[in-house]
Amino acid sequence: MQIGVLGAGRIGQTHIINLAELPGVTEVLVYEPDANAARRVQEVATVCSSAEEVFTRSDGVVVATPTSHHPEDVRAVADAGLPCFSEKPISLNLADTEATIAYAAAAGIELQVGFHRRFDPGFLKMRRAVESGDLGELYLIRAACHDYEPPHESYLPTAGSIFCDMHIHDFDAIAWLSGRTPIDVVARGSVLVDEMFARYEDVDTSAAIMTLEGGALAMLTGTRQNGVGYDHRTEVIGSRDALSAGLGPQMPLRSADPGVLQPVDPYPSFPVRFHQAYAAEMAAFVDLVAGEGPNQCPGSAAEDALRVALAADLSLARGSAVRIDEV
Ligand SMILES: NC(=O)c1ccc[n+]([C@@H]2O[C@H](COP(=O)([O-])OP(=O)(O)OC[C@H]3O[C@@H](n4cnc5c(N)ncnc54)[C@H](O)[C@@H]3O)[C@@H](O)[C@H]2O)c1
């Protein structure tokens, strides 16, 4: 099977390497206009001179271009009649997200969205514990998302706010883990890492609390820089059990207590922390292209998570809680 990839930047490279390692994939075809970025993947992929060339030679296409390109790219893949994987978010605009999902559906193609936490072994175990009742009554979900280094400034003009770009993964994961609809969100944020975030009307340090259907609470924290490493943990706390994904020797958090072991090789980046999840996510897309697996993260997930992210943006601007159905 031949899989195309548009964009070989930070996440595109990760997907290309993972695709090239899958036994069912005979060739990865890449269109990347930046010659340096293209060169970095030429040992594992065939570099094409246009997106059209990728489409004619591929059985399915991964869109890993900047966020502002996604609607146009997903539509082009749909026009080619090919199954599509789109990085998150599909768009920063709800109407455009809905229209893009509808366009893909009208073209009759599968559209999988890049919420990789759904493929992480720890997250899968937590979801099973909630679903089966082994966790007991779900009280609380806590998610920490702390980058080691902030993204390059060139990423910011098209990326969207910290809630739409970074925490959108947590908004999807919280709903998916709990199986519950978010009711409202209250968000706070500051610029403490780098003034460049203020230039894009964004914050770099964030916190939010959500109420989920039935009353369970979810809380998330974020920073665009963390001195020890890339820290992503999510915890589910229930009446019978409490589980965490991301808690282990590589977790970039140092204990202040005497005699406690310190982190060993703390995670430096998201591709390292979520290596297994990204690989499993690409394997699931390849199965979907082959008609051998379900779509484990359909377009509607992008729409639902974006709605919560936009409510968080609104809450930050207003300084008060916002109901999700207001967005
Ligand atoms: N799922 C995740 O964990 C995750 C992580 C990082 C980024 N992302 C998402 O992936 C997308 C890309 O982010 P990134 O960090 O890799 O950005 P990036 O800037 O590192 O890479 C984007 C690449 O796309 C290329 N490009 C631009 N226009 C193109 C076009 N028309 N056709 C093909 N390639 C084109 C650029 O040259 C660049 O190399 C964003 O939407 C972002 O939100 C997801």
Side-chain angles (χ1 to χ4, degrees):
M1 178 188 297
Q2 290 164 296
I3 301 290
V5 179
L6 304 183
R10 291 188 308 166
I11 196 68
Q13 272 189 55
T14 302
H15 292 328
I16 290 162
I17 291 164
N18 285 328
L19 284 165
E21 286 178 358
L22 286 172
V25 175
T26 52
E27 190 178 19
V28 183
L29 299 120
V30 177
Y31 173 59
E32 164 57 69
D34 180 316
N36 287 329
R39 246 192 307 278
R40 283 196 286 271
V41 297
Q42 68 187 10
E43 277 190 17
V44 291
T46 305
V47 175
C48 297
S49 54
S50 68
E52 291 67 33
E53 186 186 347
V54 169
F55 299 156
T56 40
R57 294 171 62 183
S58 301
D59 300 298
V61 176
V62 170
V63 172
T65 51
T67 297
S68 54
H69 282 251
H70 294 176
E72 180 190 326
D73 291 338
V74 171
R75 283 179 163 85
V77 178
D79 287 342
L82 297 169
C84 182
F85 174 98
S86 171
E87 260 311 334
K88 46 54 60 175
I90 290 179
S91 164
L92 296 170
N93 171 298
L94 209 47
D96 207 10
T97 303
E98 286 166 355
T100 306
I101 295 167
Y103 195 94
I109 63 148
E110 288 285 358
L111 174 59
Q112 182 182 331
V113 180
F115 290 134
H116 59 277
R117 304 209 198 320
R118 292 184 180 214
F119 300 88
D120 179 79
F123 277 74
L124 284 160
K125 183 165 179 171
M126 293 197 296
R127 185 168 191 249
R128 281 194 296 273
V130 173
E131 244 178 8
S132 65
D134 287 352
L135 192 88
E137 177 72 18
L138 174 68
Y139 297 146
L140 201 66
I141 301 182
R142 232 173 8 211
C145 192
H146 302 178
D147 276 338
Y148 187 22
E149 298 292 349
H152 189 269
E153 184 163 358
S154 63
Y155 179 74
L156 299 184
T158 59
S161 70
I162 197 167
F163 294 110
C164 290
D165 177 51
M166 190 171 94
H167 289 305
I168 197 159
H169 286 292
D170 302 312
F171 295 134
D172 176 66
I174 287 165
W176 175 80
L177 278 171
S178 65
R180 298 174 195 196
T181 306
I183 304 300
D184 64 16
V185 61
V186 58
R188 293 286 184 270
S190 297
V191 177
L192 301 172
V193 173
D194 194 317
E195 275 302 314
M196 72 175 176
F197 288 96
R199 289 199 285 278
Y200 298 94
E201 296 178 0
D202 198 8
V203 295
D204 54 36
T205 306
S206 50
I209 299 174
M210 298 155 68
T211 313
L212 306 179
E213 191 184 4
L217 299 178
M219 182 176 171
L220 50 90
T221 60
T223 57
R224 288 293 200 175
Q225 195 263 333
N226 180 39
V228 188
Y230 177 81
D231 184 12
H232 184 84
R233 269 167 297 133
T234 292
E235 303 156 358
V236 289
I237 293 140
S239 56
R240 280 213 287 274
D241 205 355
L243 289 168
S244 172
L247 176 69
Q250 285 185 276
M251 183 178 81
L253 188 64
R254 298 185 339 98
S255 175
D257 297 327
V260 177
L261 291 177
Q262 295 301 329
V264 180
D265 293 333
Y267 297 117
S269 62
F270 53 83
V272 177
R273 160 68 183 90
F274 283 113
H275 172 70
Q276 285 176 283
Y278 288 125
E281 178 183 52
M282 281 301 106
F285 179 59
V286 167
D287 286 348
L288 186 65
V289 174
E292 289 170 0
N295 188 341
Q296 297 186 50
C297 194
S300 55
E303 183 182 333
D304 294 344
L306 181 68
R307 204 178 287 282
V308 185
L310 293 172
D313 279 347
L314 201 55
S315 168
L316 181 61
R318 282 186 189 163
S320 58
V322 170
R323 284 188 62 88
I324 312 302
D325 59 14
E326 212 190 295
V327 176

